[in-house]
Amino acid sequence: GLHRAAGGGGDVEGGGALSDEVRRRAVADEVAAALERWNRPRLVSDLDPLVSPCRAGKEHLAGLPRTMLILGGGEVLYDQQRRLEAALRGAGVAVEPPFVGEGMPHVFPLFATAAWGPGLHTGDASPPHPAVESVEVMERFLLSSW
């Protein structure tokens, strides 16, 4: 469980046990256990800003193009993504207002096909699933960048 997973290894923040932030946002023991397995000693460090963008300083972020962030409201990395947003803004990067899929997990836009189905969005009156809506937001962002 979470108590077992929180006992050692590292965390997304680097070093030590899983942080309270990660444990608070972990919605299932499997998520915490997967983070623990992923965080075993490896060749790269999550302290490296090229591995973990939320660790990047202004020298890494300044000059980046206009940026869009899509966050799962229920994901374990939510708070880190908000810190990345603040760091980007602090470095002078134009950041679109983030799209937050309420209650959605990490990488939830990948579920758009399952929520949407294989065809095109029908445009009916019902609100789209957050995964579908996130893809539509990405499409508008990308088209506005050309």
Side-chain angles (χ1 to χ4, degrees), residues 1-11 15-20 22-23 29 32-33 35-37 39:
L2 284 176
H3 298 290
R4 175 180 38 79
D11 70 0
L18 287 172
S19 68
D20 289 341
V22 172
R23 281 186 287 145
D29 285 357
L35 282 171
E36 199 66 32
R37 282 191 305 275
N39 233 355

Side-chain angles (χ1 to χ4, degrees), residues 3-66:
H3 298 290
R4 175 180 38 79
D11 70 0
V12 179
E13 292 295 318
L18 287 172
S19 68
D20 289 341
E21 171 186 313
V22 172
R23 281 186 287 145
R24 180 174 46 82
R25 290 225 172 247
V27 295
D29 285 357
E30 293 80 22
V31 173
L35 282 171
E36 199 66 32
R37 282 191 305 275
W38 175 84
N39 233 355
R40 289 189 179 131
R42 52 197 179 279
L43 297 176
V44 296
S45 169
D46 60 345
L47 299 175
D48 184 334
L50 298 176
V51 174
S52 182
C54 69
R55 297 212 175 268
K58 285 184 180 181
E59 69 277 7
H60 293 102
L61 300 174
L64 288 176
R66 190 173 119 235

Side-chain angles (χ1 to χ4, degrees), residues 66-69 85 89 93-99 137 141 144:
R66 190 173 119 235
T67 301
M68 170 190 185
L69 298 171
E85 174 191 3
R89 290 183 194 284
V93 177
V95 180
E96 296 294 309
F99 176 86
V137 168
F141 173 79
S144 71

